[in-house]
PDB file of all heavy atoms in Angstrom:
ATOM      1  N   TYR A 159     -39.303  63.002 -23.324  1.00 87.00           N
ATOM      2  CA  TYR A 159     -38.445  64.191 -23.296  1.00 87.00           C
ATOM      3  C   TYR A 159     -38.385  64.809 -21.908  1.00 87.00           C
ATOM      4  O   TYR A 159     -38.460  66.030 -21.736  1.00 87.00           O
ATOM      5  CB  TYR A 159     -38.914  65.234 -24.318  1.00 87.00           C
ATOM      6  CG  TYR A 159     -38.971  64.708 -25.729  1.00 87.00           C
ATOM      7  CD1 TYR A 159     -40.013  65.049 -26.585  1.00 87.00           C
ATOM      8  CD2 TYR A 159     -37.982  63.826 -26.203  1.00 87.00           C
ATOM      9  CE1 TYR A 159     -40.059  64.552 -27.874  1.00 87.00           C
ATOM     10  CE2 TYR A 159     -38.035  63.320 -27.492  1.00 87.00           C
ATOM     11  CZ  TYR A 159     -39.068  63.678 -28.318  1.00 87.00           C
ATOM     12  OH  TYR A 159     -39.119  63.172 -29.594  1.00 87.00           O
ATOM     13  N   THR A 160     -38.266  63.937 -20.911  1.00 86.00           N
ATOM     14  CA  THR A 160     -38.095  64.380 -19.529  1.00 86.00           C
ATOM     15  C   THR A 160     -36.936  63.612 -18.904  1.00 86.00           C
ATOM     16  O   THR A 160     -36.490  62.586 -19.426  1.00 86.00           O
ATOM     17  CB  THR A 160     -39.365  64.124 -18.704  1.00 86.00           C
ATOM     18  OG1 THR A 160     -39.654  62.712 -18.688  1.00 86.00           O
ATOM     19  CG2 THR A 160     -40.559  64.866 -19.278  1.00 86.00           C
ATOM     20  N   GLN A 161     -36.448  64.124 -17.765  1.00 88.00           N
ATOM     21  CA  GLN A 161     -35.354  63.452 -17.056  1.00 88.00           C
ATOM     22  C   GLN A 161     -35.797  62.094 -16.529  1.00 88.00           C
ATOM     23  O   GLN A 161     -35.020  61.139 -16.495  1.00 88.00           O
ATOM     24  CB  GLN A 161     -34.871  64.335 -15.906  1.00 88.00           C
ATOM     25  CG  GLN A 161     -33.480  64.002 -15.396  1.00 88.00           C
ATOM     26  CD  GLN A 161     -32.406  64.640 -16.236  1.00 88.00           C
ATOM     27  OE1 GLN A 161     -32.414  64.503 -17.459  1.00 88.00           O
ATOM     28  NE2 GLN A 161     -31.496  65.341 -15.601  1.00 88.00           N
ATOM     29  N   GLY A 162     -37.051  62.009 -16.103  1.00 88.00           N
ATOM     30  CA  GLY A 162     -37.560  60.731 -15.618  1.00 88.00           C
ATOM     31  C   GLY A 162     -37.593  59.674 -16.699  1.00 88.00           C
ATOM     32  O   GLY A 162     -37.310  58.501 -16.454  1.00 88.00           O
ATOM     33  N   ALA A 163     -37.958  60.070 -17.921  1.00 90.00           N
ATOM     34  CA  ALA A 163     -37.958  59.122 -19.039  1.00 90.00           C
ATOM     35  C   ALA A 163     -36.545  58.633 -19.339  1.00 90.00           C
ATOM     36  O   ALA A 163     -36.338  57.461 -19.643  1.00 90.00           O
ATOM     37  CB  ALA A 163     -38.575  59.777 -20.268  1.00 90.00           C
ATOM     38  N   VAL A 164     -35.571  59.537 -19.261  1.00 91.00           N
ATOM     39  CA  VAL A 164     -34.172  59.147 -19.492  1.00 91.00           C
ATOM     40  C   VAL A 164     -33.725  58.137 -18.446  1.00 91.00           C
ATOM     41  O   VAL A 164     -33.093  57.118 -18.763  1.00 91.00           O
ATOM     42  CB  VAL A 164     -33.269  60.394 -19.484  1.00 91.00           C
ATOM     43  CG1 VAL A 164     -31.797  59.994 -19.547  1.00 91.00           C
ATOM     44  CG2 VAL A 164     -33.611  61.307 -20.651  1.00 91.00           C
ATOM     45  N   ILE A 165     -34.031  58.386 -17.184  1.00 92.00           N
ATOM     46  CA  ILE A 165     -33.629  57.472 -16.112  1.00 92.00           C
ATOM     47  C   ILE A 165     -34.312  56.122 -16.279  1.00 92.00           C
ATOM     48  O   ILE A 165     -33.685  55.065 -16.104  1.00 92.00           O
ATOM     49  CB  ILE A 165     -33.969  58.104 -14.746  1.00 92.00           C
ATOM     50  CG1 ILE A 165     -33.088  59.339 -14.513  1.00 92.00           C
ATOM     51  CG2 ILE A 165     -33.784  57.088 -13.622  1.00 92.00           C
ATOM     52  CD1 ILE A 165     -33.448  60.119 -13.262  1.00 92.00           C
ATOM     53  N   LEU A 166     -35.595  56.129 -16.619  1.00 92.00           N
ATOM     54  CA  LEU A 166     -36.331  54.878 -16.804  1.00 92.00           C
ATOM     55  C   LEU A 166     -35.741  54.053 -17.940  1.00 92.00           C
ATOM     56  O   LEU A 166     -35.495  52.850 -17.793  1.00 92.00           O
ATOM     57  CB  LEU A 166     -37.802  55.188 -17.073  1.00 92.00           C
ATOM     58  CG  LEU A 166     -38.722  53.992 -17.324  1.00 92.00           C
ATOM     59  CD1 LEU A 166     -38.793  53.101 -16.097  1.00 92.00           C
ATOM     60  CD2 LEU A 166     -40.121  54.475 -17.716  1.00 92.00           C
ATOM     61  N   ALA A 167     -35.494  54.679 -19.077  1.00 91.00           N
ATOM     62  CA  ALA A 167     -34.970  53.956 -20.226  1.00 91.00           C
ATOM     63  C   ALA A 167     -33.542  53.475 -19.985  1.00 91.00           C
ATOM     64  O   ALA A 167     -33.189  52.346 -20.353  1.00 91.00           O
ATOM     65  CB  ALA A 167     -35.026  54.848 -21.469  1.00 91.00           C
ATOM     66  N   MET A 168     -32.714  54.295 -19.370  1.00 92.00           N
ATOM     67  CA  MET A 168     -31.338  53.885 -19.094  1.00 92.00           C
ATOM     68  C   MET A 168     -31.283  52.755 -18.077  1.00 92.00           C
ATOM     69  O   MET A 168     -30.450  51.843 -18.185  1.00 92.00           O
ATOM     70  CB  MET A 168     -30.525  55.083 -18.611  1.00 92.00           C
ATOM     71  CG  MET A 168     -30.232  56.107 -19.696  1.00 92.00           C
ATOM     72  SD  MET A 168     -29.336  57.561 -19.098  1.00 92.00           S
ATOM     73  CE  MET A 168     -27.830  56.810 -18.477  1.00 92.00           C
ATOM     74  N   THR A 169     -32.157  52.788 -17.089  1.00 93.00           N
ATOM     75  CA  THR A 169     -32.198  51.694 -16.104  1.00 93.00           C
ATOM     76  C   THR A 169     -32.576  50.380 -16.774  1.00 93.00           C
ATOM     77  O   THR A 169     -32.001  49.330 -16.474  1.00 93.00           O
ATOM     78  CB  THR A 169     -33.206  52.031 -14.995  1.00 93.00           C
ATOM     79  OG1 THR A 169     -32.831  53.267 -14.373  1.00 93.00           O
ATOM     80  CG2 THR A 169     -33.236  50.932 -13.947  1.00 93.00           C
ATOM     81  N   HIS A 170     -33.541  50.442 -17.685  1.00 91.00           N
ATOM     82  CA  HIS A 170     -33.936  49.231 -18.407  1.00 91.00           C
ATOM     83  C   HIS A 170     -32.790  48.685 -19.254  1.00 91.00           C
ATOM     84  O   HIS A 170     -32.552  47.477 -19.306  1.00 91.00           O
ATOM     85  CB  HIS A 170     -35.139  49.553 -19.295  1.00 91.00           C
ATOM     86  CG  HIS A 170     -35.476  48.458 -20.250  1.00 91.00           C
ATOM     87  ND1 HIS A 170     -35.257  48.557 -21.610  1.00 91.00           N
ATOM     88  CD2 HIS A 170     -36.004  47.214 -20.055  1.00 91.00           C
ATOM     89  CE1 HIS A 170     -35.635  47.448 -22.210  1.00 91.00           C
ATOM     90  NE2 HIS A 170     -36.089  46.621 -21.301  1.00 91.00           N
ATOM     91  N   VAL A 171     -32.034  49.576 -19.902  1.00 90.00           N
ATOM     92  CA  VAL A 171     -30.943  49.129 -20.758  1.00 90.00           C
ATOM     93  C   VAL A 171     -29.788  48.555 -19.944  1.00 90.00           C
ATOM     94  O   VAL A 171     -29.167  47.549 -20.325  1.00 90.00           O
ATOM     95  CB  VAL A 171     -30.461  50.296 -21.644  1.00 90.00           C
ATOM     96  CG1 VAL A 171     -29.204  49.910 -22.417  1.00 90.00           C
ATOM     97  CG2 VAL A 171     -31.560  50.721 -22.613  1.00 90.00           C
ATOM     98  N   LEU A 172     -29.485  49.157 -18.788  1.00 91.00           N
ATOM     99  CA  LEU A 172     -28.313  48.763 -18.003  1.00 91.00           C
ATOM    100  C   LEU A 172     -28.619  47.695 -16.954  1.00 91.00           C
ATOM    101  O   LEU A 172     -27.692  47.230 -16.280  1.00 91.00           O
ATOM    102  CB  LEU A 172     -27.721  49.992 -17.310  1.00 91.00           C
ATOM    103  CG  LEU A 172     -27.163  51.070 -18.245  1.00 91.00           C
ATOM    104  CD1 LEU A 172     -26.668  52.259 -17.441  1.00 91.00           C
ATOM    105  CD2 LEU A 172     -26.041  50.506 -19.095  1.00 91.00           C
ATOM    106  N   MET A 173     -29.876  47.329 -16.794  1.00 91.00           N
ATOM    107  CA  MET A 173     -30.232  46.353 -15.766  1.00 91.00           C
ATOM    108  C   MET A 173     -29.464  45.034 -15.875  1.00 91.00           C
ATOM    109  O   MET A 173     -28.997  44.497 -14.859  1.00 91.00           O
ATOM    110  CB  MET A 173     -31.735  46.087 -15.802  1.00 91.00           C
ATOM    111  CG  MET A 173     -32.240  45.192 -14.689  1.00 91.00           C
ATOM    112  SD  MET A 173     -32.392  46.076 -13.145  1.00 91.00           S
ATOM    113  CE  MET A 173     -33.755  47.150 -13.525  1.00 91.00           C
ATOM    114  N   PRO A 174     -29.283  44.433 -17.058  1.00 91.00           N
ATOM    115  CA  PRO A 174     -28.544  43.165 -17.118  1.00 91.00           C
ATOM    116  C   PRO A 174     -27.113  43.260 -16.617  1.00 91.00           C
ATOM    117  O   PRO A 174     -26.575  42.285 -16.067  1.00 91.00           O
ATOM    118  CB  PRO A 174     -28.585  42.807 -18.612  1.00 91.00           C
ATOM    119  CG  PRO A 174     -29.789  43.506 -19.137  1.00 91.00           C
ATOM    120  CD  PRO A 174     -29.867  44.772 -18.374  1.00 91.00           C
ATOM    121  N   PHE A 175     -26.482  44.423 -16.772  1.00 92.00           N
ATOM    122  CA  PHE A 175     -25.115  44.591 -16.304  1.00 92.00           C
ATOM    123  C   PHE A 175     -25.035  44.609 -14.782  1.00 92.00           C
ATOM    124  O   PHE A 175     -23.948  44.455 -14.219  1.00 92.00           O
ATOM    125  CB  PHE A 175     -24.518  45.880 -16.869  1.00 92.00           C
ATOM    126  CG  PHE A 175     -24.391  45.879 -18.361  1.00 92.00           C
ATOM    127  CD1 PHE A 175     -25.350  46.494 -19.146  1.00 92.00           C
ATOM    128  CD2 PHE A 175     -23.333  45.244 -18.974  1.00 92.00           C
ATOM    129  CE1 PHE A 175     -25.246  46.487 -20.530  1.00 92.00           C
ATOM    130  CE2 PHE A 175     -23.223  45.230 -20.355  1.00 92.00           C
ATOM    131  CZ  PHE A 175     -24.180  45.849 -21.131  1.00 92.00           C
ATOM    132  N   MET A 176     -26.144  44.819 -14.122  1.00 92.00           N
ATOM    133  CA  MET A 176     -26.195  44.743 -12.670  1.00 92.00           C
ATOM    134  C   MET A 176     -26.626  43.356 -12.204  1.00 92.00           C
ATOM    135  O   MET A 176     -26.100  42.827 -11.210  1.00 92.00           O
ATOM    136  CB  MET A 176     -27.169  45.795 -12.125  1.00 92.00           C
ATOM    137  CG  MET A 176     -27.306  45.802 -10.611  1.00 92.00           C
ATOM    138  SD  MET A 176     -25.792  46.288  -9.763  1.00 92.00           S
ATOM    139  CE  MET A 176     -25.751  48.022 -10.193  1.00 92.00           C
TER     140      MET A 176
END
Side-chain angles (χ1 to χ4, degrees):
Y159 303 140
T160 61
Q161 200 83 309
V164 173
I165 293 174
L166 179 63
M168 289 177 60
T169 302
H170 170 251
V171 173
L172 296 177
M173 186 78 69
F175 296 98
M176 180 66 70

